[in-house]
Amino acid sequence: MCGIIGYIGNRNAIPVLINGLKRLEYRGYDSAGIAFFNGNKINVRRCAGKIKDLEVSIKGEKLRSFTGLGHTRWATHGKPSEENAHPHRSGGIVLVHNGIIENYFELKEELKGKGHVFTSETDTEVICHLIHSYSRKGLDFEAATRAALKHVEGAYAIGIINESEPDKILAVKKDSPLVLGLGEGEFFIASDIPAFLKYTKDVIILDNGEMASITRKGVSVSGIANKKPVKKEIANITWSPTMAEKGGYKHFMLKEINEQPRAIADTIRGRFSLEKGEVNLDEFSLAESELKKLNKIFLVACGTSWHAALVGKYIIEDMARVPCEVDIASEFRYRRPLLPKGSLVIVITQSGETADTLAAQRESGKLGAKVLSICNVVGSTSAREADGVFFTHSGPEIGVASTKAFTTQLTGLYLFAIALAKAKEKIRSDDIRELFNELLQLPEKVEQSLKINDAVLKIAKRFYHARDFLYLGRGINYPIALEGALKLKEISYIHAEGYPAGEMKHGPIALIDNNMPVLALAPDDKVLEKILSNMEEVKSRGGKVIAVATEGNTRVLSRASNVLFMPKTNYYLTPIIFSIPLHLLAYHMAVLKKCNVDQPRNLAKSVTVE
Ligand code: M6R
């Protein structure tokens, strides 16, 4: 996720772009840049670091332009550096991009073969070269852009300027957000409304497959492929600037919970081929021959990422039949772990900067193991130091409570398990296809799951005065009980414990009374009968049961005072679907208790000390 801004009008574009970028910094902050006209030439200024570093780098210069583009980057392809920062250029074509170009590698090779010289490691640069190559063939700006985009697969929101048509910005969109701001004789493009909210509240939201051609006189929108004019509605925004940064949500946590369908779609994009029945683990640098030889896997992480690791163990051992040990990173390094030959260590970390996880990662390397990282932040220490990385691509997570990072980690582990099971010949091609098909439906099912929000809010209203909470789960959903309890503790300060439901009778059952709400995870799986009995045990002791169950399961109704029904999915993906109501419940309880949801007391987003 990156932020883009563009301006054309009568004011000096430079401060407009810098101000816009500051409002978009939440979308990415590892490098930034602007492009603007200097006479008929386009100048590009970029730097690694934050917007304020870019601002410092141009301070004192008398830059003036009436058209320009800006970008704040959240690296996906290529490390955060000046060369990889946007805008990118080929000849007189300069552009900024948010999204991922899936087939960039093939396109880059083809263009290199034709003599194009690349100066960055990004996927974006291929788009400039493609447009430039069509311009050189004599096509005008718009025609060259349309022709170039025919080759491009993936997601994009792009702003483009061209030295041969200085009074124009082109903006194109597919699967990444792009809005236009309409002022008096001035126009804006941006990834998000706050970037220009200071100047105008009139906006047009571009839809997939649309191109906007913007001059100082106005905006015209057409289909990228069919060139047909599209009549767009102008919306008037009533949000305050802070609300707008959160996309209209009250908190980043709620925004991030709601972003999960998109985040998961980005995690799986380009990661497998349904036709070939293969997972693409290129970035993980794991050949099938290597997977074949693996005889032990260690999953190491902290906090919510550790819960993902626990789910990973269930998936990997069940699907690929390879033994898997899970460690809390701060324990791993001091317990003198034994890593037999042929072991693989996978660290899981959203930030890639958690001190304990990094220490465990380094310790594993010293012990001679190959170390891979499932990580969200490109350019982070874990990503740089690992032998291979699976980037979850969930976009920046700002809320301290991890939500979308967790479900995308689970998605990554699911893909890894399929690749391993295939290499180990523990799975048939038909089953692989079924697993892929279920994965393809996941973003839609997550979207459906989010509709549970109002029902969760009702439950939160009933229980937010509780002092303690018990979360019960079994099997693959036992870690989800831990995750639900952690979320409740960290943002609502209610004491909560996650427990394997079968263990309840060995101790925690003593706590159950009228004041102890018990949340039970009861998906339709092989341990459903068992969890139903555990719910009976709670009910008969006066406990109040909130059940989360698969839709259509009427048997939970008599055993619970409240039931949340979730869409059906396969066994391995239920932890993703079932964590959604738990994250929402923690969120609503915290809001009702008037807690600081995005910055809970005593907690930091990334724990960089031991
Ligand atoms: O960035 P990481 O995934 O390494 O962070 C690990 C934990 O600090 C993190 O998951 C923490 O538990 C969150 N606050 C949970 O919501």
Side-chain angles (χ1 to χ4, degrees):
M1 196 155 108
C2 303
I4 70 177
I5 167 95
Y7 176 78
I8 187 162
N10 298 321
R11 358 173 160 230
N12 184 6
I14 316 298
V16 177
L17 298 176
I18 297 286
N19 180 59
L21 289 178
K22 284 185 184 162
R23 312 308 306 169
L24 293 174
E25 204 161 20
Y26 76 89
R27 299 179 64 85
Y29 29 74
D30 58 48
S31 51
I34 51 171
F36 51 90
F37 279 89
N38 181 5
N40 284 335
K41 294 281 164 221
I42 298 173
N43 282 8
V44 172
R45 301 295 295 269
R46 313 180 289 188
C47 73
K50 299 196 181 270
I51 313 298
K52 66 173 173 5
D53 300 311
L54 177 69
E55 213 176 2
V56 167
S57 76
I58 57 172
K59 200 170 174 198
E61 295 184 51
K62 291 205 166 49
L63 308 176
R64 208 167 164 72
S65 170
F66 299 108
T67 306
L69 298 173
H71 189 273
T72 177
R73 180 166 186 251
W74 195 77
T76 58
H77 291 71
K79 59 185 176 297
S81 65
E82 188 177 332
E83 306 79 62
N84 290 333
H86 299 216
H88 288 285
R89 151 197 303 267
S90 177
I93 303 288
V94 175
L95 60 81
V96 289
H97 165 225
N98 167 37
I100 297 175
I101 306 304
E102 283 166 23
N103 59 338
Y104 86 100
F105 187 74
E106 295 84 337
L107 292 174
K108 191 168 177 175
E109 289 305 298
E110 205 180 310
L111 287 158
K112 278 207 255 174
K114 290 180 183 161
H116 287 257
V117 178
F118 284 78
T119 56
S120 78
E121 302 163 301
T122 65
D123 51 339
T124 301
E125 202 185 343
V126 297
I127 316 170
C128 310
H129 286 271
L130 273 173
I131 301 176
H132 185 210
S133 72
Y134 279 107
S135 302
R136 282 203 303 216
K137 285 183 188 157
L139 269 62
D140 68 24
F141 188 15
E142 282 187 33
T145 303
R146 290 181 205 277
L149 290 174
K150 277 193 189 144
H151 301 269
V152 173
E153 287 166 22
Y156 51 77
I158 312 173
I160 319 158
I161 50 177
N162 181 1
E163 285 180 353
S164 34
E165 286 188 55
D167 190 28
K168 187 178 273 181
I169 297 180
L170 291 184
V172 288
K173 174 202 147 75
K174 182 182 165 255
D175 292 337
S176 292
L178 196 56
V179 287
L180 312 179
L182 318 178
E184 295 273 321
E186 60 179 358
F187 300 92
F188 307 79
I189 65 164
S191 304
D192 201 354
I193 294 163
F196 54 68
L197 203 57
K198 187 174 163 190
Y199 310 102
T200 180
K201 293 195 168 200
D202 289 337
V203 306
I204 287 178
I205 316 271
L206 277 193
D207 285 309
N208 279 341
E210 289 179 348
M211 171 190 274
S213 174
I214 309 154
T215 67
R216 248 175 272 196
K217 293 193 186 117
V219 173
S220 63
V221 179
S222 58
I224 302 174
N226 63 18
K227 301 187 213 164
K228 277 196 191 144
V230 183
K231 204 169 158 10
K232 301 292 291 182
E233 255 178 47
I234 300 174
N236 186 263
I237 298 301
T238 50
W239 303 339
S240 70
T242 356
M243 262 171 87
E245 245 165 77
K246 292 173 187 153
Y249 291 102
K250 210 167 158 199
H251 299 99
F252 279 111
M253 181 183 177
L254 188 60
K255 175 170 181 266
E256 286 153 10
I257 290 174
N258 280 282
E259 275 174 352
Q260 289 176 102
R262 196 271 313 143
I264 292 171
D266 282 351
T267 307
I268 65 179
R269 181 174 288 124
R271 248 62 190 264
F272 65 91
S273 153
L274 191 60
E275 298 78 47
K276 293 190 197 150
E278 274 172 15
V279 178
N280 169 6
L281 284 181
D282 285 355
E283 300 153 284
F284 237 175
S285 327
L286 263 185
E288 191 161 301
S289 54
E290 265 182 281
L291 285 172
K292 247 189 187 76
K293 283 190 227 145
L294 280 186
N295 46 35
K296 182 132 193 195
I297 293 171
F298 290 81
L299 299 174
V300 186
C302 298
T304 286
S305 299
W306 175 65
H307 297 153
L310 289 171
V311 175
K313 175 183 166 76
Y314 282 91
I315 307 181
I316 292 168
E317 291 192 342
D318 189 74
M319 224 193 257
R321 311 301 295 150
V322 175
C324 194
E325 264 187 48
V326 179
D327 268 277
I328 291 181
S330 53
E331 292 296 319
F332 179 82
R333 60 182 301 208
Y334 297 114
R335 76 170 173 86
R336 297 179 64 217
L338 294 168
L339 306 184
K341 207 167 179 294
S343 300
L344 172 72
V345 176
I346 304 181
V347 296
I348 306 175
T349 167
Q350 185 286 129
S351 61
E353 301 296 349
T354 302
D356 289 321
T357 306
L358 290 176
Q361 177 169 349
R362 289 171 186 148
E363 182 68 19
S364 309
K366 271 194 221 145
L367 293 172
K370 177 161 183 163
V371 190
L372 306 180
S373 173
I374 295 182
C375 184
N376 193 31
V377 180
V378 176
S380 61
T381 311
S382 175
R384 280 187 278 115
E385 292 185 7
D387 297 312
V389 194
F390 179 97
F391 288 113
T392 47
H393 294 317
S394 61
E397 200 179 56
I398 313 286
V400 164
S402 189
T403 52
K404 63 176 180 172
F406 175 62
T407 47
T408 54
Q409 288 166 348
L410 296 181
T411 309
L413 286 160
Y414 178 86
L415 280 167
F416 171 73
I418 298 175
L420 186 61
K422 180 172 185 279
K424 292 277 184 188
E425 294 171 24
K426 296 289 181 205
I427 194 166
R428 292 175 310 128
S429 329
D430 285 355
D431 295 333
I432 294 182
R433 281 203 184 92
E434 221 167 274
L435 292 169
F436 284 160
N437 272 322
E438 199 61 52
L439 191 56
L440 283 171
Q441 292 172 44
L442 186 61
E444 175 57 41
K445 287 197 179 164
V446 171
E447 188 85 64
Q448 249 173 279
S449 306
L450 290 166
K451 298 199 177 117
I452 203 82
N453 185 54
D454 290 352
V456 176
L457 175 60
K458 243 191 210 159
I459 295 175
K461 282 185 179 157
R462 181 170 172 203
F463 291 107
Y464 77 98
H465 291 300
R467 254 192 51 192
D468 307 281
F469 240 90
L470 190 60
Y471 284 69
L472 298 178
R474 276 180 175 261
I476 200 166
N477 281 293
Y478 153 52
I480 302 308
L482 296 178
E483 171 62 7
L486 173 69
K487 269 317 84 109
L488 193 67
K489 277 184 270 207
E490 70 178 329
I491 60 169
S492 73
Y493 317 141
I494 295 174
H495 167 246
E497 274 190 64
Y499 235 79
E503 267 293 291
M504 185 185 61
K505 55 187 171 298
H506 299 283
I509 200 163
L511 295 169
I512 289 169
D513 65 14
N514 201 18
N515 299 317
M516 175 75 135
V518 177
L519 187 140
L521 295 159
D524 282 1
D525 63 13
K526 55 188 173 207
V527 286
L528 175 64
E529 289 305 323
K530 307 284 170 197
I531 193 102
L532 288 176
S533 309
N534 300 136
M535 286 160 67
E536 289 282 6
E537 288 156 14
V538 174
K539 198 181 159 202
S540 56
R541 281 159 185 85
K544 294 189 189 91
V545 180
I546 304 159
V548 186
T550 309
E551 59 196 352
N553 178 353
T554 48
R555 295 176 63 206
V556 283
L557 293 171
S558 61
R559 294 162 171 99
S561 58
N562 296 77
V563 183
L564 296 166
F565 284 113
M566 307 309 296
K568 194 172 174 52
T569 181
N570 73 21
Y571 165 74
Y572 304 112
L573 296 176
T574 51
I576 295 181
I577 299 291
F578 276 60
S579 57
I580 289 167
L582 273 52
H583 287 168
L584 283 169
L585 184 64
Y587 170 78
H588 288 303
M589 301 265 229
V591 173
L592 288 163
K593 290 193 74 187
K594 302 198 175 7
C595 299
N596 186 341
V597 173
D598 285 331
Q599 285 159 345
R601 73 180 175 215
N602 307 337
L603 283 172
K605 180 65 186 158
S606 128
V607 186
T608 54
V609 289
E610 259 197 84

